[in-house]
Amino acid sequence: MEGQGATADPQLQHFIEIESQKQRFQQLVHQMTEVCWEKCMDKPGPKLDSRTEACFVNCVERFIDTSQFILNRLEQTQRSRGGFSESMSD
């Protein structure tokens, strides 16, 4: 085992990648909830009125649209630069 050096177990790398994705997703959900709650919730009650519900739906949809736009833009930027890791080493 000592002879493997810096080579990591592919299953472990995959597990870490999946767990990192889960963590990022949870952070996005938390951030979205916080933003939309502050924007839409005037006075908490036993149920949402139609205006508040519509505000939440719109807020969540805009949050998702914005997040997707940013991700697409970052991917385009990385492709035009030949990849993030390569641009970091310049």
Side-chain angles (χ1 to χ4, degrees), residues 29-86:
V29 169
H30 177 74
Q31 184 181 7
M32 178 182 60
T33 302
E34 188 175 329
V35 167
C36 294
W37 183 269
E38 290 297 320
K39 180 174 179 47
C40 299
M41 199 63 183
D42 292 332
K43 49 186 183 277
K47 61 181 186 175
L48 297 178
D49 60 28
S50 59
R51 185 186 68 76
T52 304
E53 185 176 350
C55 180
F56 273 115
V57 168
N58 188 49
C59 181
V60 169
E61 288 176 352
R62 298 298 72 79
F63 189 93
I64 292 169
D65 289 345
T66 303
S67 297
Q68 190 61 50
F69 174 81
I70 291 168
L71 285 174
N72 290 340
R73 188 75 174 140
L74 286 172
E75 287 176 3
Q76 288 174 352
T77 303
Q78 288 177 358
R79 272 183 271 166
S80 69
R81 292 184 178 175
F84 182 72
S85 60
E86 292 174 17

Side-chain angles (χ1 to χ4, degrees), residues 1-15:
M1 287 222 171
E2 290 179 37
Q4 290 181 350
T7 305
D9 180 6
Q11 286 181 320
L12 179 60
Q13 287 179 331
H14 182 70
F15 174 78

